[in-house]
Amino acid sequence: MLKFQAPRGTRDLLPVDQLKWSVVFNKIRTVVENFSFGQIETPIYENQNVFTKPIGAQTDIVEKEMFEVRRMATHPTDSDEEKDRYVLRPEYTAPVVRAYLEHGLASWPQPVKLWYWGPTFRYDRPQKGRFRQFTQFGLEIFGEASPTTDAFLILVLWQIYAQLGIDRLITIDINTIGDSVCRPKIRKTLHDYLQKSRAELCADCRRRLDINPMRVLDCKNEACQKTVRYAPEIVDLTCPACKNHFRQVLEHLDDLNIPYDLNPRLVRGLDYYTKTTFEVRPTDDTNRQSSLGGGGRYDDLVQIFGGQSTPAIGFAGGVDRTVDYLLDQNIQLKVEERPKLCLIQFGQLARRKSLTVVSKLSDIGYSLVVSFDKEGLNAQLKYADKMGAALCLIIGQKEALAEEIIVRNMIDGSQEIVSVSKLTEVLKRKIKEITK
Ligand code: AMP
């Protein structure tokens, strides 16, 4: 047993994992850049108020899952009492809205389209696909209320999943949860319906029933699911404008041949959503346990933060789950590897020369491997072989004095003596030959 291990619910990503993650990152970046989303990054921690009210004080995230961030004070004094409390971000949308207002993005030409990729933190019970630190990527569009924007956002993420090679394996669960006009009626109708079976609900739902009865609809507890099976459907309770909005979103998805499932109980775990809400899941995940991502409209959120009323919609995808799903599906996540070049030097003078040589090689598309502690040619050739080097640059005392270098092809064993001044040219040619 090692003395120290990564904290529960977190994991290390080693170089071999990072290569796979970078393939996913690059594919996502290519798609979002095609649609002119600009990348945003916000601090890893924020004032807790950024999340409490917008996400909802009664949600799992706010009630149970936030990590607090504090200065560790071995000898606390009064001045250590921070007025503000900070938490690790459990999601990105609220911080992005904060940044949107803080940096005056409301005065940019609308719509403002942003995307992000980074770590998020939730104190959850770790299990397969559920971590305490996980990476999210996501998209936000500010300043447009049209149902076409909803479909546009879904189209962009559909193209992301197509690039990742899983668009045929996934389904979008979609619903509408109304807006501030119809929400009071939705809440009252659901409350009155669920109130009759209050005793059968789990403790969380009994508590939430009076504050946000919609949350009971997507509770995973079996008894709650049974109770809501015949509950009134939200879409039937929405106002004509919300119904019309939703109908148009679905028409667009039909036009785009994007498969969706109408899920009348999908409300999402965060309070700030309005109108369209959706989740992406593997089609065979019929229990809806491992969504790859989710999103929806949040037309009131900018105002909740004190800005002008600004319609907006967003989506957040879980990178960990997506990468794991791709690997489960045997989808190759390979980057084009650059040929490895091993720098071999023996003797003090050669060692000094070797660094100067490397510093002068312009970017010719190689990846350098080198060990300065291994003495002798054989040990270094063995190392080059282990590292999978395609070429070796060999400098001994003789070559160092003659301003020359031996270039050895590790595949066929051929060698060439090259003057240092011609090295770039020769390497370019050789790398071209190897990668052809
Ligand atoms: P949410 O907005 O909570 O639906 O989160 C969006 C996506 O982030 C989910 O669909 C998951 O793919 C991912 N996600 C959320 N929580 C976790 C977690 N604890 N561990 C790993 N991925 C998560």
CSV table of all heavy atoms in Angstrom, one decimal, residues 61 122 124 129-132 134 136 268 270 273 279 291-294 316-318 320-321, ligand 1:
chain,number,residue,atom,x,y,z
A,61,ILE,N,-26.6,19.8,-6.0
A,61,ILE,CA,-25.2,20.4,-6.2
A,61,ILE,C,-25.0,21.4,-5.1
A,61,ILE,O,-23.9,21.3,-4.5
A,61,ILE,CB,-25.2,21.1,-7.6
A,61,ILE,CG1,-25.2,20.0,-8.7
A,61,ILE,CG2,-23.9,22.0,-7.7
A,61,ILE,CD1,-25.1,20.6,-10.1
A,122,ARG,N,-17.5,18.0,-7.9
A,122,ARG,CA,-18.7,17.8,-7.1
A,122,ARG,C,-18.4,16.7,-6.1
A,122,ARG,O,-17.9,15.6,-6.5
A,122,ARG,CB,-19.8,17.4,-8.1
A,122,ARG,CG,-20.3,18.5,-8.9
A,122,ARG,CD,-21.5,18.1,-9.8
A,122,ARG,NE,-21.7,19.0,-10.9
A,122,ARG,CZ,-22.5,18.8,-11.9
A,122,ARG,NH1,-23.2,17.7,-12.0
A,122,ARG,NH2,-22.6,19.7,-12.9
A,124,ASP,N,-19.5,13.9,-4.9
A,124,ASP,CA,-20.5,12.9,-5.2
A,124,ASP,C,-20.0,11.6,-4.7
A,124,ASP,O,-18.8,11.5,-4.3
A,124,ASP,CB,-20.6,12.9,-6.7
A,124,ASP,CG,-22.0,12.7,-7.2
A,124,ASP,OD1,-22.8,12.1,-6.5
A,124,ASP,OD2,-22.3,13.1,-8.3
A,129,GLY,N,-18.0,6.2,-14.0
A,129,GLY,CA,-18.5,7.4,-14.7
A,129,GLY,C,-18.8,8.6,-13.8
A,129,GLY,O,-19.3,9.6,-14.3
A,130,ARG,N,-18.6,8.4,-12.5
A,130,ARG,CA,-18.9,9.5,-11.6
A,130,ARG,C,-17.7,9.9,-10.7
A,130,ARG,O,-17.2,9.0,-10.0
A,130,ARG,CB,-20.1,9.3,-10.7
A,130,ARG,CG,-20.6,10.5,-10.1
A,130,ARG,CD,-21.7,10.3,-9.2
A,130,ARG,NE,-22.9,9.9,-9.8
A,130,ARG,CZ,-24.0,9.3,-9.2
A,130,ARG,NH1,-23.9,9.2,-7.9
A,130,ARG,NH2,-25.0,8.9,-9.8
A,131,PHE,N,-17.1,11.0,-10.9
A,131,PHE,CA,-15.9,11.4,-10.2
A,131,PHE,C,-16.2,12.7,-9.3
A,131,PHE,O,-17.2,13.3,-9.5
A,131,PHE,CB,-14.8,11.7,-11.2
A,131,PHE,CG,-14.5,10.6,-12.1
A,131,PHE,CD1,-15.1,10.5,-13.4
A,131,PHE,CD2,-13.7,9.6,-11.8
A,131,PHE,CE1,-14.9,9.5,-14.3
A,131,PHE,CE2,-13.5,8.5,-12.6
A,131,PHE,CZ,-14.1,8.5,-13.9
A,132,ARG,N,-15.2,13.0,-8.5
A,132,ARG,CA,-15.3,14.2,-7.7
A,132,ARG,C,-14.7,15.3,-8.4
A,132,ARG,O,-15.0,16.5,-8.3
A,132,ARG,CB,-14.8,14.0,-6.3
A,132,ARG,CG,-15.7,13.1,-5.5
A,132,ARG,CD,-15.2,13.0,-4.1
A,132,ARG,NE,-16.2,12.2,-3.3
A,132,ARG,CZ,-16.1,11.7,-2.2
A,132,ARG,NH1,-14.9,11.8,-1.5
A,132,ARG,NH2,-17.0,11.0,-1.6
A,134,PHE,N,-14.0,16.1,-12.4
A,134,PHE,CA,-14.2,15.7,-13.7
A,134,PHE,C,-14.1,16.9,-14.7
A,134,PHE,O,-14.1,18.0,-14.2
A,134,PHE,CB,-15.5,15.0,-13.9
A,134,PHE,CG,-16.7,15.8,-13.4
A,134,PHE,CD1,-17.5,16.4,-14.4
A,134,PHE,CD2,-17.0,15.9,-12.1
A,134,PHE,CE1,-18.6,17.2,-14.0
A,134,PHE,CE2,-18.1,16.7,-11.7
A,134,PHE,CZ,-18.9,17.3,-12.6
A,136,GLN,N,-15.4,19.1,-17.8
A,136,GLN,CA,-16.5,19.4,-18.7
A,136,GLN,C,-16.1,20.2,-19.9
A,136,GLN,O,-15.2,21.1,-19.8
A,136,GLN,CB,-17.6,20.2,-17.9
A,136,GLN,CG,-18.4,19.3,-17.0
A,136,GLN,CD,-19.7,20.1,-16.5
A,136,GLN,OE1,-19.7,21.3,-16.4
A,136,GLN,NE2,-20.7,19.3,-16.1
A,268,ARG,N,-33.8,18.3,-15.4
A,268,ARG,CA,-32.4,18.7,-15.2
A,268,ARG,C,-32.2,19.1,-13.7
A,268,ARG,O,-33.1,19.5,-13.0
A,268,ARG,CB,-31.9,19.9,-16.1
A,268,ARG,CG,-32.1,19.6,-17.5
A,268,ARG,CD,-30.9,18.9,-18.2
A,268,ARG,NE,-29.7,19.7,-18.2
A,268,ARG,CZ,-28.6,19.2,-17.7
A,268,ARG,NH1,-28.5,18.0,-17.2
A,268,ARG,NH2,-27.5,19.9,-17.7
A,270,LEU,N,-30.6,21.5,-12.2
A,270,LEU,CA,-30.2,22.9,-11.9
A,270,LEU,C,-31.5,23.8,-12.1
A,270,LEU,O,-32.2,23.6,-13.1
A,270,LEU,CB,-29.1,23.4,-12.7
A,270,LEU,CG,-27.8,22.5,-12.6
A,270,LEU,CD1,-27.8,21.4,-13.6
A,270,LEU,CD2,-26.6,23.4,-12.8
A,273,TYR,N,-32.8,26.6,-15.5
A,273,TYR,CA,-33.3,26.3,-16.9
A,273,TYR,C,-34.7,26.8,-17.1
A,273,TYR,O,-35.5,26.9,-16.2
A,273,TYR,CB,-33.2,24.8,-17.2
A,273,TYR,CG,-31.8,24.4,-17.4
A,273,TYR,CD1,-31.2,23.5,-16.5
A,273,TYR,CD2,-31.1,24.8,-18.5
A,273,TYR,CE1,-29.9,23.1,-16.6
A,273,TYR,CE2,-29.8,24.3,-18.7
A,273,TYR,CZ,-29.2,23.5,-17.8
A,273,TYR,OH,-27.9,23.1,-18.0
A,279,GLU,N,-30.8,16.2,-22.7
A,279,GLU,CA,-29.7,15.4,-22.2
A,279,GLU,C,-29.3,14.5,-23.4
A,279,GLU,O,-30.1,14.0,-24.1
A,279,GLU,CB,-30.0,14.6,-21.0
A,279,GLU,CG,-29.9,15.5,-19.7
A,279,GLU,CD,-30.1,14.8,-18.4
A,279,GLU,OE1,-30.2,13.6,-18.4
A,279,GLU,OE2,-30.1,15.5,-17.4
A,291,SER,N,-25.6,10.0,-18.6
A,291,SER,CA,-25.7,10.9,-19.6
A,291,SER,C,-24.3,11.5,-20.0
A,291,SER,O,-23.4,11.6,-19.1
A,291,SER,CB,-26.6,12.1,-19.2
A,291,SER,OG,-26.0,12.8,-18.2
A,292,LEU,N,-24.1,11.7,-21.3
A,292,LEU,CA,-22.8,12.2,-21.7
A,292,LEU,C,-22.8,13.7,-21.6
A,292,LEU,O,-21.8,14.4,-21.6
A,292,LEU,CB,-22.6,11.8,-23.2
A,292,LEU,CG,-22.5,10.3,-23.4
A,292,LEU,CD1,-22.3,10.0,-24.9
A,292,LEU,CD2,-21.3,9.7,-22.6
A,293,GLY,N,-24.0,14.3,-21.6
A,293,GLY,CA,-24.1,15.8,-21.5
A,293,GLY,C,-25.5,16.2,-21.3
A,293,GLY,O,-26.4,15.4,-21.5
A,294,GLY,N,-25.6,17.5,-21.0
A,294,GLY,CA,-27.0,18.0,-20.9
A,294,GLY,C,-27.0,19.5,-21.0
A,294,GLY,O,-25.9,20.2,-20.9
A,316,ALA,N,-23.5,21.3,-21.5
A,316,ALA,CA,-22.2,20.9,-20.9
A,316,ALA,C,-22.1,19.4,-21.1
A,316,ALA,O,-23.0,18.6,-20.8
A,316,ALA,CB,-22.2,21.2,-19.4
A,317,GLY,N,-20.9,19.0,-21.6
A,317,GLY,CA,-20.7,17.6,-21.8
A,317,GLY,C,-19.6,17.1,-20.8
A,317,GLY,O,-18.7,17.8,-20.4
A,318,GLY,N,-19.7,15.9,-20.4
A,318,GLY,CA,-18.7,15.3,-19.5
A,318,GLY,C,-17.6,14.6,-20.3
A,318,GLY,O,-17.9,13.7,-21.1
A,320,ASP,N,-14.8,13.0,-19.2
A,320,ASP,CA,-14.4,11.7,-18.7
A,320,ASP,C,-15.3,10.6,-19.2
A,320,ASP,O,-14.8,9.6,-19.7
A,320,ASP,CB,-14.4,11.7,-17.1
A,320,ASP,CG,-13.6,12.8,-16.5
A,320,ASP,OD1,-14.1,14.0,-16.7
A,320,ASP,OD2,-12.6,12.6,-16.0
A,321,ARG,N,-16.6,10.8,-19.1
A,321,ARG,CA,-17.6,9.8,-19.5
A,321,ARG,C,-17.5,9.6,-21.0
A,321,ARG,O,-17.6,8.5,-21.5
A,321,ARG,CB,-19.0,10.3,-19.2
A,321,ARG,CG,-19.4,9.9,-17.8
A,321,ARG,CD,-20.8,10.1,-17.6
A,321,ARG,NE,-21.0,10.3,-16.2
A,321,ARG,CZ,-22.2,10.7,-15.7
A,321,ARG,NH1,-23.2,10.9,-16.4
A,321,ARG,NH2,-22.3,10.8,-14.4
B,1,AMP,P1,-25.0,18.1,-15.6
B,1,AMP,O1,-25.1,19.6,-16.0
B,1,AMP,O2,-25.0,17.9,-14.1
B,1,AMP,O3,-26.0,17.3,-16.3
B,1,AMP,O4,-23.6,17.6,-16.1
B,1,AMP,C1,-23.3,17.6,-17.5
B,1,AMP,C2,-22.4,16.4,-17.8
B,1,AMP,O5,-21.3,16.3,-17.0
B,1,AMP,C3,-23.1,15.1,-17.4
B,1,AMP,O6,-24.0,14.7,-18.5
B,1,AMP,C4,-22.0,14.1,-17.3
B,1,AMP,O7,-21.5,13.6,-18.5
B,1,AMP,C5,-20.9,15.0,-16.7
B,1,AMP,N1,-20.9,14.8,-15.2
B,1,AMP,C6,-21.7,15.4,-14.3
B,1,AMP,N2,-21.3,15.0,-13.0
B,1,AMP,C7,-20.3,14.2,-13.2
B,1,AMP,C8,-19.5,13.4,-12.3
B,1,AMP,N3,-19.6,13.5,-11.0
B,1,AMP,N4,-18.5,12.7,-12.8
B,1,AMP,C9,-18.2,12.6,-14.2
B,1,AMP,N5,-19.0,13.3,-15.0
B,1,AMP,C10,-20.0,14.1,-14.6
